Amino acid sequence: MQVKSPLSFAKLIILIASLLTYLSVQSETALLNTSGGQSKASSSSCDFFHGSWVYDDSYPLHDSANCPFIDPEFDCQKYGRPDKLYLKYRWRPTTCELPRFDGKDFLTRWRGKKIMFVGDSISSNQWQSLLCLLHAAVPGSKISTNKRDPLSTVTFEEYTVSVMYYRKPYLVDVVTESIGHILKLDSVSSGSIWLSADLLIFNTWHWWIHNGAASQGWDYIQDGDKILRDMNRLEAFYKGLTTWAKWVDSSVDVNTKRVFFQGISPTHYQGLDWGEPGVKDCGRQTQPVIGSTYLGSSLPEQGVVKNVLNTIGKQVYLLDITLLSQLRKDAHPSAYSGGHPGMDCSHWCIAGLPDTWNTILYAALIS
């Protein structure tokens, strides 16, 4: 009788474990699709931000090949990503089911209105995702585009809905003076432009940890009457975000406008955070973390965001996307970014994770 080698036996065990995992995911998805026991999503009855990712063969919500709004850095399929499994996962909150994104309903509800994303490239990531979702719903609709820096606008003419992106990485100002570019922690000069929108989605953090004048975009920080070469970045973030929060309280009429803050978008450069010690980036990741727990430590910038938002007297809705995004180690452009050399584990593929951010935005708006 031939005896199996230990190596062959180990391979057999791995194969069986993989098969059992796949069957478990398929079973959970079937149960989700047939169960009537889950409540419809509403802001009062459901925590949209705690749950898990489940396989859903009806995903993705749109085809990136048919969307004319995706920048090369987010267009993973176009730039050679060979796998597509990452497109097949749907976010499932623990206590309810999110409504499927309905682009026609979104446009109808916001007919004649202006929607503006304000922030850095992560805001642009979500902006482009929303444009793709809406375009997929009304592919024959007349669209006009005006892309400039810092404000880009796409208008769905039939609905007179404008979806805009205002590039403002720090939310507070960077101004040019005789000594150089100065990041002013107590100055917001773009507010009058932002107030032209009916729905505002703000974001900042990504740039607060950039180093070097070329990367960060400033030479000095102004904190009150002090001009500094640098300072603790988390403290600077807190002070800048507090300035923005005071602007919201003093300037935004929440009876006529809705205000959202896009929470902290995580990166995946340390495999130890998701249980793969020694892995140094998101390359070759094809599936999300299974379950609802992320091994990595909590992010201190999350605490800053929540603390500052708690000081605002006006209603600002936090799109608390951090945990659900941490679980998506597979959803980054990685090496398949037409706009970034190297390994991009900071931004996200479109189609992909930002579609879920917009699904939650839609659910919050209709609740």
Side-chain angles (χ1 to χ4, degrees):
M1 178 183 296
Q2 184 178 6
V3 179
K4 298 283 186 182
S5 70
L7 179 60
S8 298
F9 182 73
K11 289 181 177 178
L12 178 62
I13 293 297
I14 292 172
L15 178 63
I16 293 172
S18 299
L19 178 61
L20 289 174
T21 300
Y22 174 78
L23 291 174
S24 174
V25 171
Q26 294 284 10
S27 175
E28 182 178 10
T29 303
L31 178 62
L32 175 64
N33 291 336
T34 58
S35 172
Q38 284 192 309
S39 64
K40 291 293 183 181
S42 72
S43 58
S44 60
S45 65
C46 179
D47 180 352
F48 296 143
F49 307 108
H50 287 83
S52 59
W53 291 95
V54 297
Y55 180 90
D56 188 330
D57 198 48
S58 71
Y59 271 48
L61 295 174
H62 63 89
D63 182 354
S64 58
N66 296 327
C67 182
F69 306 110
I70 308 175
D71 283 344
E73 61 188 312
F74 309 138
D75 202 347
C76 305
Q77 289 296 312
K78 180 178 180 179
Y79 287 92
R81 181 161 178 166
D83 61 302
K84 293 187 177 182
L85 183 60
Y86 73 96
L87 296 168
K88 294 293 186 180
Y89 287 93
R90 172 167 52 84
W91 178 246
R92 179 190 181 186
T94 302
T95 58
C96 64
E97 185 175 353
L98 282 171
R100 193 175 181 90
F101 186 92
D102 186 332
K104 286 186 177 179
D105 180 63
F106 188 103
L107 288 166
T108 300
R109 289 172 181 268
W110 289 90
R111 185 183 296 274
K113 303 293 186 180
K114 295 179 180 179
I115 299 161
M116 187 184 294
F117 293 86
V118 182
D120 55 30
S121 55
I122 302 298
S123 282
S124 181
N125 224 169
Q126 187 175 0
W127 172 62
Q128 293 175 40
S129 162
L130 182 59
L131 291 175
C132 291
L133 289 166
L134 296 176
H135 180 263
V138 290
S141 181
K142 183 180 178 181
I143 293 171
S144 62
T145 302
N146 184 6
K147 284 194 172 185
R148 295 180 179 177
D149 189 20
L151 181 63
S152 296
T153 303
V154 175
T155 301
F156 292 80
E157 300 287 358
E158 179 184 349
Y159 297 86
T160 58
V161 172
S162 293
V163 187
M164 300 175 283
Y165 166 57
Y166 191 97
R167 185 180 178 275
K168 189 81 168 181
Y170 294 101
L171 296 185
V172 292
D173 297 329
V174 176
V175 302
T176 302
E177 298 187 359
S178 59
I179 61 172
H181 302 295
I182 303 177
L183 174 63
K184 291 181 172 284
L185 299 181
D186 59 356
S187 174
V188 175
S189 63
S190 308
S192 60
I193 300 173
W194 304 343
L195 290 175
S196 67
D198 303 282
L199 170 61
L200 287 159
I201 306 100
F202 292 95
N203 159 260
T204 184
W205 169 246
H206 194 60
W207 281 55
W208 290 90
I209 51 176
H210 283 206
N211 284 296
S215 177
Q216 67 198 15
W218 50 265
D219 304 294
Y220 299 92
I221 294 180
Q222 183 168 347
D223 179 17
D225 59 358
K226 295 180 292 185
I227 302 293
L228 308 170
R229 279 285 186 183
D230 208 340
M231 64 183 293
N232 179 279
R233 298 303 182 85
L234 198 64
E235 182 183 358
F237 175 57
Y238 170 79
K239 291 185 175 184
L241 196 61
T242 298
T243 297
W244 165 83
K246 290 177 179 177
W247 172 84
V248 172
D249 254 341
S250 64
S251 303
V252 179
D253 181 358
V254 293
N255 294 314
T256 60
K257 302 180 187 301
R258 297 290 299 274
V259 181
F260 286 73
F261 190 90
Q262 180 203 62
I264 301 299
S265 176
T267 62
H268 288 93
Y269 289 103
Q270 295 294 331
L272 185 64
D273 288 343
W274 61 85
E276 292 187 64
V279 172
K280 296 301 181 184
D281 56 49
C282 61
R284 296 186 294 279
Q285 296 293 327
T286 60
Q287 296 183 34
V289 174
I290 301 301
S292 304
T293 303
Y294 191 68
L295 296 178
S297 58
S298 60
L299 305 178
E301 56 269 26
Q302 281 181 277
V304 170
V305 168
K306 291 180 179 179
N307 288 338
V308 172
L309 292 186
N310 283 337
T311 68
I312 302 177
K314 306 285 181 68
Q315 183 176 7
V316 177
Y317 189 105
L318 174 61
L319 284 173
D320 194 5
I321 61 169
T322 305
L323 174 61
L324 65 90
S325 303
Q326 284 176 320
L327 298 174
R328 292 308 306 269
K329 58 187 173 63
D330 60 318
H332 296 284
S334 61
Y336 307 103
S337 169
H340 277 95
M343 183 66 58
D344 184 355
C345 300
S346 299
H347 299 95
W348 308 92
C349 296
I350 301 174
L353 176 65
D355 301 333
T356 294
W357 300 349
N358 283 314
T359 297
I360 296 175
L361 172 66
Y362 172 66
L365 288 169
I366 67 176
S367 295

